[in-house]
Amino acid sequence: MKSLRTRLLAFLLGAIVLAAGTQAFVAYRTVLEEADQIFDYHMQQMAMSLRSGLPPGGAAAGLGGAEENFEFVVQVWTADGIRIFESAARAALPQRAVLGFSNVPARGTTYRVFSMQSGPLVIQVAQDMAVRRNMAGALALRTVGPIALAAPLLMLVVWWVVSLSLAPVSRVRKQVAARQADDLSPVSEGELPEEVRPLVHELNLLFGRLQHAFEAQKNFVADAAHELRSPLTALKLQVEALRRATDDATRDRAVERLASGIDRATRLVEQMLALARHEASAVAAAPGRPVDLNELAQLAISDVIAAAQARRIDIGIEHADGASVPGDPEALRTLLRNLLDNAVKYSPEAGRIDLAIAKRENEVELSVEDSGPGLAEEERQRVLDRFYRAGERSRPGSGLGLAIVKSIADLHGARLSLARSERLGGLRVAVHFALVDARSGEGREV
């Protein structure tokens, strides 16, 4: 019963059989009861019709011999109990009369007897119940016949309608089954029933998201292959330099450069994996767990405080409104850590980095400002691209930090903006989250 077509046919055809059987049974019983009433009425009318045609007394001979008919028997009695008329002499009906209707056993069968008194006479009309049942049964079967004929025809109509209604679903199934693994084009929604069209529409949306994910993966692999070529080549050269080292000082310097190159390659791989993970998550809906931004800010600062202190950079929270946003805590921590790490990298010695959380009318703004050189306006959008590095190429980095920030912001439906810091003179990066009502999931947060 996993097939929708089989399930519909089983239930509908079963319902037809049950309804037809119930209707046939009710009709059969109703016709039998009505036939009994009609036969009783005829017996009563026959008895009443004999009242005026009988003599007031004296015996009257009935039918006899081979001409006797035991299906219908008529007897007439006087008030003294003398039978003056009998249509069948060997009917063997009891020599008594009960006024009205009664069932009397005789001749190995049962007779339905109607008795009425007309003046000094008692008239009896009897009918063999077996004959009555045969006649009533034949009449009832003739009534049930159309139902028995209509049920199979109705079942054929239901089978045709169900098959015709599910034909578009079968067509969509064949379209999907005939596709190649890389064919993610939309499925045709034409002529689909209203109940099935939303399912196919969502399937097309899923195909679109998968197409986007595959294209992102393909671009990511191409970019990763290109970006990894340089660090791996540098590592190979540093190994060769270590091999050719002739003294301890040269060897120590080569080992230091090799370790630094390995650290950079490791950082690059970690950033690429993080970007791939968040771009894959962007295909699905963002999680809805409330995240406290104040707590998140403290955790992110603790992640970069060692690097900031090593360069004597003053880093802290300049302003913090109490606010929570729905999202993935680890992803948002990665977003803020990358912003702070980027600010530490590009801030000068003894510089300053301020983090702020501002709750406005329709949004929460999470911002990071630094006292570094900032970015030219024409580069502010390019730095969001993967592997793009602005400023001095000698600075450590993979060019993926802000790309990861943008991917996580998109995952949470947030807006990312880059501008010049009016207070510190460097770069100001702000992430704008829409306020969400905790009670309804819409509107303002409470």
Side-chain angles (χ1 to χ4, degrees), residues 41-261:
Y41 176 75
H42 287 171
M43 291 172 60
Q44 188 177 12
Q45 293 298 314
M46 181 183 295
M48 294 178 66
S49 66
L50 293 175
R51 288 185 302 180
S52 60
L54 293 174
L63 297 175
E67 298 180 1
E68 290 185 352
N69 180 5
F70 297 106
E71 295 182 3
F72 257 103
V73 179
V74 178
Q75 295 184 126
V76 181
W77 304 79
T78 65
D80 299 331
I82 300 172
R83 185 170 52 202
I84 63 173
F85 178 80
E86 185 179 26
S87 64
R90 295 182 295 109
L93 291 176
Q95 303 298 313
R96 65 180 183 276
V98 178
L99 297 181
F101 289 98
S102 61
N103 292 332
V104 177
R107 296 180 56 81
T109 184
T110 302
Y111 282 88
R112 179 73 166 169
V113 180
F114 175 72
S115 302
M116 66 170 295
Q117 187 170 4
S118 177
L121 302 177
V122 175
I123 303 173
Q124 282 185 325
V125 178
Q127 184 184 22
D128 190 347
M129 289 295 291
V131 175
R132 171 183 285 204
R133 282 193 293 269
N134 290 337
M135 295 174 64
L139 180 61
L141 288 176
R142 286 196 295 271
T143 304
V144 172
I147 299 176
L149 180 63
L153 293 177
L154 184 58
M155 294 171 71
L156 287 175
V157 171
V158 167
W159 176 83
W160 178 76
V161 170
V162 169
S163 300
L164 185 64
S165 300
L166 294 179
V169 180
S170 178
R171 174 175 55 80
V172 171
R173 179 188 62 80
K174 291 178 181 178
Q175 285 184 12
V176 176
R179 290 180 173 221
Q180 299 296 325
D182 57 348
D183 185 5
L184 295 175
S185 58
V187 178
S188 173
E189 300 180 19
E191 300 181 359
L192 286 176
E194 291 296 331
E195 293 78 8
V196 180
R197 185 176 290 114
L199 175 62
V200 177
H201 180 69
E202 292 299 327
L203 181 64
N204 287 334
L205 293 180
L206 175 61
F207 284 163
R209 292 193 293 269
L210 289 176
Q211 181 72 34
H212 173 75
F214 287 157
E215 290 177 356
Q217 183 184 35
K218 183 169 63 176
N219 294 334
F220 174 80
V221 170
D223 291 341
H226 174 73
E227 292 296 324
L228 284 173
R229 186 178 295 112
S230 297
L232 293 177
T233 302
L235 288 176
K236 185 176 180 180
L237 293 175
Q238 289 159 4
V239 170
E240 292 293 331
L242 177 61
R243 185 180 298 166
R244 291 195 301 267
T246 57
D247 53 53
D248 291 341
T250 305
R251 186 177 296 106
D252 290 342
R253 189 163 52 253
V255 169
E256 183 179 352
R257 290 177 178 176
L258 179 61
S260 177

Side-chain angles (χ1 to χ4, degrees), residues 403-415:
I404 293 174
V405 169
K406 183 178 186 304
S407 176
I408 297 174
D410 292 341
L411 172 64
H412 291 78
R415 179 171 54 88

